[in-house]
Amino acid sequence: MFALPLSRWLQRRGLHFSWVIVAITFLTGLSSSAALGLPGALLQPLAREFGWDVEQISSALAVRFVLFGLMGPFAAILMERFGLRNVVVTALTLVASGLALATQMTQFWQLVLFWGVMLGVGSGMTALVLSAVVSTRWFDSHRGLVVGMLTAASATGQLVFLPIGAWLIEHYGWRTAVIPVLLACALVALLVLLLMRNRPNEVGLAPYGAPEGTPVAPLAPPMRITFATPFKVLAGVANNRVFWILFGTFFICGLSTNGLIQTHFISLCGDAGLSAVPAASVLAMMGAFDLVGTIASGWLSDRYDNRKLLCMYYGLRGLSLFWLPYSEFTLYGLSLFAMFYGLDWIATVPPTVRLAGATFGKEQAGMVFGWVFAGHQLGAAVAAYGAGRVRTLMLTYNPALFAAGAACLVAAGVILLIRKPAVVAAASAAEAAKAA
């Protein structure tokens, strides 16, 4: 109802409606991922109120990471069948409902259902696949930059709401802390209902960057898409070494970010005598650096060797994790950690997407990356539970930090085993010529 008039109004002013879609998708990623990150601030409040230990709570939160990742290969099918608007609104409703219902829980199984299953499925429906679909359908150029921007929203949203949540927990209790995220989900869902459209031709436009008058090409794969298709794609790449390198390194990516730092950082700081509010503020600082780092990574991935970029990102992350236990948790030490760790929190996504596209082609790249992303979240689940288990048994997170740091250094070396695809050089040259 509002999209077509707004598109025409913007067109008269030389603006493309695709940037409205990017803005809405950015806000969607910001709000849904904020819900995914908020439980990390609630480990200790839940333990105090219900008597659950960190290992128990971490096991419930690990469920959301598994489901968040496993939704990846199937999210594109849901978007194709039911449309972006319907899928995104359903996802935001599911996320908001899970948060709201959890405020009334009394049993552990309810935590698993509301914050494990509902948050995992809802956030998984609006995860990185949504960013890939939007960038592919609405843009012929600047796709790497768009993926970087939208990926940054997913990571930053998990962090920027935490200081507000931690302050509300400290002053009004943990149940009040869910209100800002609930309001954000409701407002974004309203924007999606009013303005989100599936493809540019629905508002009379070609994709951004296409020559004027270019018809909108069909973007769906030529094969018939069913819920069996992701499994067929997985079977087709199961013998490909590049797939398993990307899957394994992205497993380590999730293990060293969402599962470890996002879930346990506030509890880790609490062990060092730092209260929740300043600890959450450090996470928000990481989110700010991540916003810069991931957008820059998208720009760099369009121009430079993605293998070398990933080697640098994993290497810096591993060194920063080794540094964290020796930071003494001072303002200077944590700020230094937040800067280096935050810059490549999820900067690994644009180069990984590019490598998947260059290796497996446009038709399969989305679903192949969906399975690679599933590896990311399986790694996150392992770290979410494993770090909680280590903390319960050893009363310290240090072994988990050192193990994650070592795994990152391994990933930095392993990623260089991928041969540089000729397609990458050709695509970069084509984009440079197009930009000129």
Side-chain angles (χ1 to χ4, degrees):
M1 181 171 58
F2 294 99
L4 186 56
L6 178 59
S7 175
R8 290 172 177 169
W9 184 85
L10 291 172
Q11 196 173 7
R12 288 195 296 268
R13 287 156 179 80
L15 300 173
H16 200 281
F17 189 73
S18 58
W19 295 109
V20 174
I21 300 298
V22 168
I24 295 172
T25 307
F26 185 93
L27 293 174
T28 298
L30 202 69
S31 55
S32 63
S33 61
L36 197 68
L38 182 63
L42 303 177
L43 289 177
Q44 293 182 356
L46 291 176
R48 287 193 296 267
E49 178 168 334
F50 296 105
W52 305 326
D53 60 33
V54 172
E55 180 184 350
Q56 280 183 290
I57 301 170
S58 298
S59 67
L61 300 184
V63 173
R64 71 193 165 130
F65 287 125
V66 172
L67 294 175
F68 181 61
L70 292 179
M71 282 298 297
F74 304 96
I77 297 174
L78 294 174
M79 293 171 195
E80 189 68 33
R81 285 196 169 189
F82 303 108
L84 294 179
R85 180 170 59 181
N86 292 333
V87 170
V88 172
V89 170
T90 300
L92 290 172
T93 302
L94 196 59
V95 167
S97 300
L99 285 174
L101 289 170
T103 62
Q104 306 303 315
M105 66 184 174
T106 57
Q107 303 293 325
F108 180 72
W109 68 265
Q110 295 170 330
L111 176 67
V112 176
L113 175 61
F114 300 145
W115 281 0
V117 177
M118 294 180 71
L119 282 191
V121 172
S123 57
M125 292 168 67
T126 59
L128 298 179
V129 174
L130 175 62
S131 303
V133 169
V134 167
S135 65
T136 302
R137 290 184 180 181
W138 285 86
F139 289 84
D140 265 9
S141 63
H142 299 81
R143 285 181 182 171
L145 178 62
V146 170
V147 170
M149 292 169 61
L150 298 181
T151 300
S154 297
T156 303
Q158 296 173 22
L159 305 177
V160 295
F161 279 79
L162 284 176
I164 300 172
W167 186 86
L168 289 172
I169 291 167
E170 190 173 285
H171 291 84
Y172 300 103
W174 68 267
R175 289 174 175 83
T176 310
V178 306
I179 293 176
V181 183
L182 281 174
L183 292 176
C185 288
L187 290 173
V188 174
L190 180 60
L191 284 174
V192 171
L193 279 172
L194 295 176
L195 297 174
M196 179 66 82
R197 289 296 178 268
N198 291 318
R199 301 178 188 273
N201 62 349
E202 294 182 10
V203 288
L205 296 172
Y208 181 85
E212 190 173 349
T214 300
V216 179
L219 298 173
M223 56 185 174
R224 182 173 176 266
I225 295 179
T226 68
F227 284 99
T229 301
F231 295 105
K232 293 178 182 177
V233 171
L234 178 61
V237 301
N239 294 323
N240 190 302
R241 187 182 71 160
V242 174
F243 171 76
W244 290 111
I245 290 175
L246 293 178
F247 186 94
T249 53
F250 231 41
F251 180 96
I252 292 171
C253 182
L255 180 129
S256 56
T257 54
N258 306 55
L260 180 61
I261 297 300
Q262 177 193 314
T263 303
H264 293 284
F265 185 76
I266 292 178
S267 179
L268 166 68
C269 290
D271 290 347
L274 195 66
S275 65
V277 174
S281 299
V282 175
L283 283 173
M285 188 188 306
M286 291 182 204
F289 281 110
D290 167 74
L291 186 66
V292 175
T294 306
I295 292 173
S297 178
W299 185 86
L300 290 169
S301 69
D302 284 335
R303 291 161 173 80
Y304 297 101
D305 188 336
N306 291 278
R307 303 166 308 139
K308 293 179 181 178
L309 291 175
L310 287 171
C311 177
M312 180 178 66
Y313 297 158
Y314 285 121
L316 284 175
R317 185 186 300 170
L319 293 176
S320 66
L321 287 170
F322 280 120
W323 154 259
L324 180 57
Y326 302 102
S327 67
E328 299 182 353
F329 294 88
T330 61
L331 177 62
Y332 171 78
L334 289 178
S335 297
L336 193 64
F337 172 74
M339 179 176 66
F340 283 101
Y341 183 87
L343 281 172
D344 70 357
W345 171 278
I346 203 165
T348 52
V349 173
T352 303
V353 171
R354 296 278 295 182
L355 285 173
T359 304
F360 301 103
K362 284 187 176 182
E363 291 183 358
Q364 293 192 89
M367 287 187 189
V368 171
F369 179 72
W371 285 113
V372 171
F373 181 66
H376 183 281
Q377 296 309 112
L378 289 174
V382 168
Y385 174 75
R389 178 72 171 165
V390 167
R391 168 65 176 77
T392 299
L393 293 177
M394 306 182 71
L395 302 180
T396 176
Y397 283 108
N398 285 356
L401 294 172
F402 293 142
C408 287
L409 296 183
V410 170
V414 168
I415 199 68
L416 294 177
L417 296 177
I418 298 177
R419 293 181 180 178
K420 184 177 181 181
V423 182
V424 173
S428 299
E431 288 187 12
K434 193 173 186 179

